[in-house]
Each structure stands twice: as structure tokens, then as C-alpha cells.
Amino acid sequence: LRDLVFERTAALGRLKNRPQLLSLIGHLLGHTESITDEYGLIEAAAIQWLIGVSEDSALDGDSGFTIEALYDLVMRMALLMAERDIRILSEEEGEKTLGEGMHQLRLVTLDRDSLLRRIESLDGGCTYRFPHSMVAAFFVAQGILDTSGSDEVVVPEFATNKMIDYIVKGRSNDGEHRDKKLIMRNLKLATFGFEAADLKGAIIEGADLRNANFENADLTNVNFMSCKLDGASFAQANTEGVIPDTPTPGLPVSFEIEDGVFMEMLWVEPGSFNIENRDTRID
């Protein structure tokens, strides 16, 4: 048991500013598969938590509220809270947006180690929150992946770096989503950690990546559209088929012609055309 706890704790990485992650250890003692990173740890903890909640709350009973329904509701709660940039969701507000499932959540046992906390007030109302931002980010990422289209995953603009990281890892770890195109448009990625990320076939558009480190990342067939890449590091990255800094045809592109002096132009794809007569061509 001591060795198992040590292994699970090591998977958390450095705990600076993240001591609450130690509360996940209790959910992992029954998990037998190897855990190699933070995303895998939270995924394993979520699975064990759902199993425990199902056993404690008899979710498959007469209520009709199943473990699958709970998982779906928690994902939708996380997405709603992320979209609105709130940390606490009232039951009343949740019912307006998410439906009667919020009321059924009262049937679920949420103890002190739960990945979703319930706070009941004296007037009979209650609010919900996630105990740690990384747990919320995980459920947001799963919600985005599970509601994605058949051939692409679109990262919303409200996504934080941690959410994006979990979306990227979840996409590469799940066979259902692995072959979907990853769309990342107009995101604040200046401080995002691209190291060793699996971005195969992604479209990354409108980002300042001048200080990005893509070391050991898989960038196979990634399309960087209207991105600032000057100064980015691609050490040992797989860049096969990468189209660097390709603007979108017909959309404005800003060029810095002097320090602080920019000129905006429309990008036209390379090609040839006739000028004045058929015998004169411009390439």
C-alpha cells in the first residue's frame, strides 16, 4: 500500500501551489493501471469517484438517475461554469440551464473527498463547486471532447491553458477522438506548454507563438495560420507536413515593416496571372 501511495503521489509532479491534489489519492487506491501524468491521475480519480458514488447512492435505482447521467451532468456543469467564469453554481441557476438533473443531484452522496462539493444553506437551497481548478478543467475538457463533431474538436476561446492541455491529452489518449482535427483559433497560447504535445493534424490560427517551445512535440501536418512563429523552438519536434505561418486567403494580415509600424494587407495565395495581354504573365 505504501508503494502504491508513493507511485500515485509521484504522478502528481511538483505540488507547489497544488497541495489539494493530495486529496485525490484516496480515489486511486483501487485503480490498477499505471498513471504517468497529471491528466491520467485525474482521469483515474474521476472514474473511481463515479464508481464510489454509484455504490453509495444507488444511482441505478428507481430514480432513473444513472452513473452515466451523473457523468454527463457534471461535465455540463463544468462547461457552464467555465463559460460564465464562475466557481460556484447554485442549484436554481443550474436547473434553469441544465434541467431537472440538477434536482436529482440531491440523491447523490457527496462526501468531503468528493470531486464535486455540495454546500447546503439554511433556507433549503444549495450550491455546487469543484474542490480544485484542475478537476473542473478535466471535466470541461471531457465535455468538449464528448460533445465534439464527428471529425473535429474545436477548442472554445474561454478555455484556459490547463483545459487546453487536457483537451490535447484526452484527444490523443482516446481512440474515439484521436483522428479528429483539432481546431485552435484565437486562443491565448503565449504561455501554453507545447512540449511533447500530440498536435497531429491540428489547425492553430491567430496565435502569438514567438516564444513557444515545441520540443518533442508531434506537429505532423499541423497548419499554423496567421500565427507569429519567429523565435519559436522546434527542437526534436516532428514537423512533417507543417505549413509555417500560412495566412488565410482573403483575410487581412498585419506585417510589421518597422518597429511599431504595421501594414495590413489581404493575403493572396501564390500563383500566376496574365497582365494586359496573354503573352505577359506575372508569377
Side-chain angles (χ1 to χ4, degrees):
L1 179 61
R2 183 184 64 182
D3 292 341
L4 182 61
V5 171
F6 179 79
E7 176 194 340
R8 300 308 190 231
T9 306
L12 291 169
R14 295 183 62 190
L15 288 174
K16 182 180 180 181
N17 301 324
R18 304 182 300 165
Q20 293 116 318
L21 282 181
L22 284 173
S23 65
L24 300 178
I25 294 297
H27 296 294
L28 299 171
L29 298 181
H31 188 80
T32 58
E33 297 181 12
S34 176
I35 298 173
T36 59
D37 58 22
E38 182 182 280
Y39 171 83
L41 181 141
I42 298 180
E43 180 182 40
I47 292 171
Q48 295 303 312
W49 171 66
L50 287 165
I51 292 173
V53 166
S54 178
E55 293 172 348
D56 294 340
S57 308
L59 293 185
D60 297 314
D62 296 334
S63 69
F65 194 52
T66 65
I67 190 171
E68 291 80 13
L70 173 61
Y71 176 63
D72 178 71
L73 177 61
V74 173
M75 287 192 305
R76 291 189 294 127
M77 290 174 67
L79 281 168
L80 177 63
M81 294 165 75
E83 290 171 351
R84 298 186 179 181
D85 193 24
I86 58 176
R87 294 176 180 265
I88 298 176
L89 178 67
S90 70
E91 182 181 57
E92 180 182 7
E93 189 61 31
E95 285 181 341
K96 291 179 183 178
T97 308
L98 305 176
E100 63 179 12
M102 285 294 298
H103 184 70
Q104 290 178 305
L105 196 54
R106 292 278 190 128
L107 302 171
V108 177
T109 302
L110 302 177
D111 58 29
R112 59 178 297 179
D113 293 326
S114 173
L115 298 193
L116 179 67
R117 301 280 176 82
R118 177 170 52 229
I119 305 170
E120 300 187 18
S121 59
L122 295 177
D123 62 4
C126 67
T127 58
Y128 293 91
R129 67 178 180 86
F130 293 96
H132 198 284
S133 60
M134 292 182 180
V135 173
F138 170 80
F139 282 111
V140 169
Q142 296 306 112
I144 290 169
L145 289 168
D146 287 357
T147 58
S148 62
S150 59
D151 58 357
E152 65 180 28
V153 176
V154 180
V155 181
E157 292 188 27
F158 65 74
T160 64
N161 280 359
K162 185 59 66 178
M163 293 173 191
I164 298 170
D165 182 41
Y166 289 169
I167 292 169
V168 171
K169 286 185 169 67
R171 168 181 174 256
S172 62
N173 291 347
D174 191 325
E176 179 185 353
H177 306 299
R178 188 175 299 126
D179 295 328
K180 294 181 181 180
K181 189 180 294 295
L182 184 66
I183 312 294
M184 305 169 71
R185 290 193 174 100
N186 304 318
L187 300 175
K188 297 177 181 179
L189 299 173
T191 59
F192 182 71
F194 286 102
E195 299 92 328
D198 180 0
L199 299 169
K200 288 190 297 290
I203 293 177
I204 303 176
E205 183 175 355
D208 186 344
L209 303 174
R210 285 175 290 189
N211 297 314
N213 183 2
F214 293 96
E215 184 175 358
N216 294 316
D218 190 342
L219 304 177
T220 306
N221 294 318
V222 170
N223 195 347
F224 292 103
M225 304 171 67
S226 301
C227 291
K228 297 177 180 178
L229 283 164
D230 184 28
S233 174
F234 294 89
Q236 299 177 357
N238 184 353
T239 58
E240 180 181 353
V242 170
I243 305 174
D245 202 12
T246 304
T248 303
L251 294 183
V253 180
S254 181
F255 294 93
E256 187 172 10
I257 56 177
E258 292 182 20
D259 288 344
V261 179
F262 294 85
M263 177 178 292
E264 191 170 87
M265 307 180 75
L266 292 181
W267 177 263
V268 178
E269 292 183 290
S272 302
F273 65 96
N274 289 329
I275 183 170
E276 292 187 358
N277 61 65
R278 296 181 181 179
D279 296 326
T280 305
R281 294 183 63 81
I282 301 295
D283 293 326

